[in-house]
Amino acid sequence: PFLMVSMYFLICYLVNAEKIVHHDHKLSIFYGITIGISFCIRATNCVYILVIIFCIIIYLILKKEYQNVIQNLIAGTCGFLIVLVPFIIYFFLKGALYDFIFGTILFNIQYTLQDISHSLSDWLFIILFLLPVIISVLLAFERKNNKLLLASIVTSGCVYMYFQMSLSSYPHYYVLTIPYISIAVGFLFGNQKNDSKIDRYKFGYYGLVLLMGVAFLTYNTEPIVSQFQATYASKIGSNDTEYNEAIILQGSIIPEEDRNAVAAYSVSPDWFLINNIYPCYNDISGQDWRLYNSPELYEVNLDNFSSLEAKWIVVRNEISQSDIKSIIDENYILVDERSLNNDELKLYKLNI
């Protein structure tokens, strides 16, 4: 929603920039807030917003609106800091400022730089979900009279497509294409300065939009429903109580004097929340995937588990990191194992 609102304000300016060059710096405060929110979720979410803002800055410089540029940069920075500063203060006071920076910036850079190869089916999926962007870029050329609008949409769309193509083809990444659906619809059904010129293309464009909608529904309905059922359906009903009770029973095995020495590997954080236990190692969830993408996190986890500080370790399913698995197999004994929501939760005790 924040990207959609910022995109709306940006498009409003792009459409009217030739008539009113001055850009209202108060809108830049909202752009900054949007970027700040994206930064705290995943910094790369706002990549195309940043590209459009960059194009507007270049435009204002070319128009010699230097004061307006400075006003917007200051306003945007203020909006960004409004969101970011409270988090910086909070994590600093908690002694976890580096973890905050690592989680929001450094790890995502490491992950993004991984070499990704796509199969033919992956490319079909990618092109399918980039259709809103592709159509918007193509339609932008029908607005050649508005060079700023054309340059901004084409540049942002191309940068965004390149960025997405270089990442793994996870479906949830492509929710970011939603603003481009609005842009494509606006190009198709908005007021045209030269209707006679656009008429010969409209049938093809409408066909692409229709194809895009059918493809979205056809390709995703079954996987989305299946994933929802597998992930949430069992927890919506009476199984919530059963799930919580099973975790509490497993946690109750740990004596009170050892509850400050419990670690985990790839376990959902709710295990600790339900049992009111604070983990002795700061990394507890999703290690298999994150350690594969981050040598730094791998070394931190290896050092933690090698220290044998944890008297108890909770493990979800199997450990793919062989070095860490060997440490647990050699130094810990399995004392409890439970099947919960298609997962195996295993509780290990230090063998002393």
Side-chain angles (χ1 to χ4, degrees):
F2 296 99
L3 295 176
M4 286 287 286
V5 175
S6 282
M7 183 66 86
Y8 171 78
F9 290 139
L10 288 167
I11 295 296
C12 284
Y13 175 77
L14 295 176
V15 169
N16 298 293
E18 293 183 346
K19 298 177 183 177
I20 306 173
V21 175
H22 183 87
H23 182 277
D24 187 352
H25 65 275
K26 291 190 290 294
L27 294 178
S28 292
I29 296 176
F30 194 87
Y31 304 156
I33 292 173
T34 299
I35 295 168
I37 291 170
S38 296
F39 181 91
C40 292
I41 299 172
R42 192 180 67 167
T44 51
N45 281 1
C46 60
V47 59
Y48 53 74
I49 296 289
L50 288 170
V51 172
I52 294 177
I53 291 172
F54 178 77
C55 290
I56 291 174
I57 291 173
I58 296 300
Y59 177 76
L60 291 174
I61 291 174
L62 292 175
K63 293 293 185 178
K64 299 182 180 180
E65 293 281 342
Y66 305 123
Q67 183 177 354
N68 193 214
V69 171
I70 295 172
Q71 289 174 335
N72 280 278
L73 289 176
I74 292 174
T77 302
C78 289
F80 179 76
L81 294 177
I82 286 171
V83 175
L84 198 63
V85 167
F87 287 97
I88 291 176
I89 294 173
Y90 173 81
F91 284 102
F92 176 77
L93 294 176
K94 294 294 183 180
L97 182 58
Y98 178 75
D99 290 338
F100 171 63
I101 295 171
F102 183 85
T104 54
I105 291 292
L106 301 180
F107 175 75
N108 285 322
I109 291 174
Q110 293 176 352
Y111 166 65
T112 304
L113 293 177
Q114 296 292 323
D115 291 330
I116 301 294
S117 58
H118 296 299
S119 65
L120 182 60
S121 61
D122 286 339
W123 279 114
L124 177 63
F125 171 90
I126 291 169
I127 293 172
L128 176 65
F129 274 92
L130 287 177
L131 273 178
V133 190
I134 295 170
I135 293 172
S136 295
V137 169
L138 293 175
L139 290 170
F141 284 97
E142 296 295 339
R143 300 294 184 94
K144 290 183 291 187
N145 292 333
N146 189 331
K147 294 181 180 178
L148 178 60
L149 178 65
L150 172 62
S152 298
I153 298 301
V154 171
T155 305
S156 65
C158 289
V159 170
Y160 173 69
M161 286 190 289
Y162 174 79
F163 180 76
Q164 288 291 62
M165 289 175 182
S166 65
L167 299 175
S168 298
S169 53
Y170 296 124
H172 62 278
Y173 284 1
Y174 293 90
V175 72
L176 301 178
T177 61
I178 289 175
Y180 282 97
I181 297 176
S182 300
I183 293 172
V185 171
F187 277 141
L188 283 170
F189 299 102
N191 294 328
Q192 301 290 336
K193 291 182 179 179
N194 188 351
D195 284 333
S196 60
K197 185 177 181 181
I198 194 72
D199 280 343
R200 59 196 175 116
Y201 297 108
K202 277 189 175 181
F203 182 79
Y205 288 145
Y206 294 161
L208 282 175
V209 173
L210 179 61
L211 174 65
M212 178 180 68
V214 172
F216 264 70
L217 291 173
T218 304
Y219 195 88
N220 287 286
T221 300
E222 193 277 330
I224 288 173
V225 171
S226 299
Q227 185 176 10
F228 173 80
Q229 290 175 337
T231 307
Y232 300 107
S234 62
K235 297 185 70 176
I236 289 175
S238 59
N239 284 337
D240 259 347
T241 302
E242 181 183 343
Y243 175 83
N244 293 346
E245 288 177 350
I247 286 183
I248 291 171
L249 284 173
Q250 189 170 62
S252 66
I253 298 173
I254 302 170
E256 192 65 34
E257 63 271 17
D258 288 349
R259 292 172 80 84
N260 62 345
V262 183
Y265 190 92
S266 289
V267 173
S268 174
D270 63 3
W271 191 97
F272 287 90
L273 294 170
I274 292 170
N275 283 299
N276 196 26
I277 292 176
Y278 194 89
C280 63
Y281 305 151
N282 64 354
D283 208 355
I284 61 172
S285 182
Q287 281 111 312
D288 270 345
W289 174 74
R290 292 189 295 107
L291 269 54
Y292 174 78
N293 288 289
S294 173
E296 180 178 345
L297 277 181
Y298 175 81
E299 291 298 327
V300 169
N301 276 263
L302 186 61
D303 289 344
N304 284 338
F305 285 103
S306 298
S307 71
L308 303 183
E309 178 186 338
K311 296 180 181 180
W312 300 81
I313 298 176
V314 190
V315 176
R316 173 179 165 270
N317 298 330
E318 296 298 325
I319 299 174
S320 65
Q321 300 293 338
S322 58
D323 292 338
I324 295 175
K325 186 177 187 304
S326 296
I327 292 170
I328 294 176
D329 290 342
E330 293 171 6
N331 298 281
Y332 293 82
I333 56 174
L334 180 65
V335 296
D336 186 73
E337 185 173 0
R338 298 170 188 270
S339 296
L340 297 171
N341 293 344
N342 299 319
D343 288 326
E344 295 293 328
L345 282 182
K346 304 172 185 178
L347 181 63
Y348 291 86
K349 180 183 178 182
L350 185 63
N351 188 17
I352 53 174

